[in-house]
Amino acid sequence: MKKKLFGISTVALLAVGLAACGGDKNEDTTSSEGEPASSSESVGKAVGYKITGIDPGAGIMEATDRAIEDYGLDQWSVTSGSGAAMTAALKKAYDKEEPIIVTGWSPHWKFAKYDLKYLDDPKGSYGGAEEIHTFGRLGLKEDLPEAYAVLQNFHWTEEDMAEVMVEIIDGEKPNVAAQNWIDANEDKVSAWTEGVEKVDGDKIKFVYVAWDSTVASTNVMANVLGELGYEVEMSQVEAGPMYTAVADGSADVLLAGWLPVTHKTYIEKFDGKLDDIGVSMENVKIGLVVPTYMDIDSIEDLQE
Ligand code: PBE
C-alpha cells in the first residue's frame, strides 16, 4: 500500500517535470556566492561553453552537434561520457545551484528528482515528438513467433516506464524493479501475452544500451518473455553495436529505436536489415535540459 502511494507520487512528480518545458521560473537566480546562477551573457562562460553529453553513439549526441551548427554556437562543444556520468554531473551542479546544460530526454527519472526544463528549440535541431520502436532481426517472426507476438503487442506509457526507472534509481535492481512493475500491472502484461502459447526454453537475445529508459523497458520485456518460458539473454553494448547486432542477426531484439529523428542515421545505415516490429511508446522527446533556476529558455540564449 505504502509502495503504491510512493509510486503514484513519483509519477505525479515526473508528469510535472515533463510539463516543465520552459515558461515560469524562479525569480531568484542568485547563487550562494552572490553571482547570478546564469544570465544570457554569462551562461557560456559559466559552463565553459560545454554541454554535458552522454555516450558518443547516442542519437542525441549527433542532434547536439547539429544544434551547435544550426544555432552557430561556434565556441561550444558537447562532452561525451555516459548517461550515468551525465546524471552525476547534473546532481552535483543542482545540489549547489550551479549552471549546467545537459543532453536530456523523456521519459527519464531526472524530471521526477529535479526541477528541470527543456530549452526551446526553434530551429528544430532535436526534432519533435518521437516514438520508441521495437526492432527485430530478419526472420525473428518465423523463428520465435510467440516472442514476436508479445513484442508486437508491447506498448506502455511514460508513467509506466517512470515507475520502473524511479525504483531503479532509488536502489532497486533493474530486474527486481521490472518484476515489481509486472506484478502490479498484470492487466497490462496480460494484454501483451494474451493468446500466446508458452514455450520451453527457447533462447532469445536482447541487446540494449545503458540508457535508463532502455534499461527499464529491456528488463520488463526480458521478464515477461522469461515468464512465457524463454531463456532470455541480455547484452549491454554501445548504440552502434546494438543496431549492428540486430542487423547481422547476432542478437534478436532491441527495444530502443527512437524515431524519426534520434536514430535516423542508424535506421538509414541498416535499411532493409531490420524488422520494425512495433511502437512501444509515443510522445517521447530529446533536447537540451537545464535546471529551472537557470535564467535561459531557448537554445538561442546560448548564442553570444
Ligand atoms: N537516448 C535514450 C537515446 C535513445 C534512448 C535519447 C539517450 C539516444 O540519444 O540515442
Side-chain angles (χ1 to χ4, degrees):
M1 190 59 195
K2 207 171 164 202
K3 189 160 212 175
K4 189 72 193 166
L5 283 170
F6 176 68
I8 289 165
S9 65
T10 51
V11 168
L13 275 169
L14 180 103
V16 170
L18 292 177
C21 296
D24 52 356
K25 54 190 173 292
N26 284 340
E27 293 284 293
D28 180 14
T29 54
T30 307
S31 73
S32 48
E33 287 85 24
E35 295 291 325
S38 66
S39 70
S40 50
E41 316 96 274
S42 68
V43 61
K45 271 191 194 132
V47 299
Y49 296 94
K50 294 270 187 259
I51 294 162
T52 304
I54 57 168
D55 38 299
I60 199 171
M61 296 294 278
E62 188 185 4
T64 302
D65 288 338
R66 188 162 57 230
I68 288 171
E69 177 91 26
D70 292 348
Y71 290 89
L73 305 176
D74 304 335
Q75 301 191 62
W76 288 77
S77 60
V78 55
T79 61
S80 62
S82 65
M86 179 275 285
T87 53
L90 178 60
K91 180 184 190 328
K92 202 173 156 212
Y94 193 89
D95 287 347
K96 295 193 221 155
E97 230 180 272
E98 286 173 359
I100 185 165
I101 304 172
V102 302
T103 55
W105 64 97
S106 320
H108 193 283
W109 58 263
K110 60 185 174 285
F111 293 99
K113 296 288 181 186
Y114 312 117
D115 288 324
L116 304 173
K117 60 186 176 185
Y118 278 97
L119 295 182
D120 291 341
D121 174 22
K123 292 190 191 289
S125 308
Y126 290 94
E130 295 204 279
E131 295 174 338
I132 306 180
H133 289 237
T134 301
F135 285 103
R137 66 167 169 83
L138 301 183
L140 184 68
K141 187 176 188 176
E142 293 72 39
D143 296 343
L144 301 174
E146 296 84 4
Y148 193 92
V150 176
L151 291 164
Q152 247 179 333
N153 293 336
F154 175 43
H155 183 276
W156 62 342
T157 66
E158 285 173 7
E159 291 76 17
D160 292 328
M161 189 193 260
E163 289 182 12
V164 181
M165 279 193 287
V166 168
E167 224 179 294
I168 295 171
I169 201 63
D170 284 342
E172 195 54 272
K173 287 201 183 89
N175 67 329
V176 176
Q179 193 58 45
N180 290 342
W181 186 88
I182 290 168
D183 293 343
N185 291 276
E186 270 165 15
D187 52 331
K188 289 181 185 176
V189 175
S190 60
W192 305 338
T193 57
E194 204 186 333
V196 180
E197 302 269 319
K198 291 219 173 218
V199 300
D200 187 17
D202 293 5
K203 290 192 168 64
I204 186 162
K205 180 172 172 181
F206 284 92
V207 269
Y208 70 104
V209 180
W211 299 317
D212 297 284
S213 43
T214 305
V215 169
S217 54
T218 306
N219 275 273
V220 166
M221 261 302 123
N223 286 6
V224 168
L225 293 184
E227 280 179 3
L228 212 64
Y230 282 93
E231 193 183 304
V232 182
E233 189 188 330
M234 289 172 53
S235 174
Q236 190 194 308
V237 294
E238 295 296 322
M242 172 177 79
Y243 274 101
T244 304
V246 176
D248 73 13
S250 59
D252 296 302
V253 188
L254 67 88
L255 297 175
W258 281 46
L259 293 177
V261 172
T262 306
H263 290 167
K264 186 170 190 276
T265 304
Y266 288 122
I267 299 307
E268 284 173 359
K269 181 172 174 193
F270 297 110
D271 185 34
K273 295 185 174 146
L274 299 166
D275 181 355
D276 189 351
I277 298 176
V279 172
S280 64
M281 197 181 290
E282 294 89 7
N283 281 317
V284 304
K285 177 178 167 68
I286 63 170
L288 291 183
V289 169
V290 300
T292 51
Y293 57 73
M294 285 180 73
D295 190 22
I296 53 172
D297 291 307
S298 169
I299 302 174
E300 286 178 330
D301 296 337
L302 306 182
Q303 295 161 341
E304 283 196 286

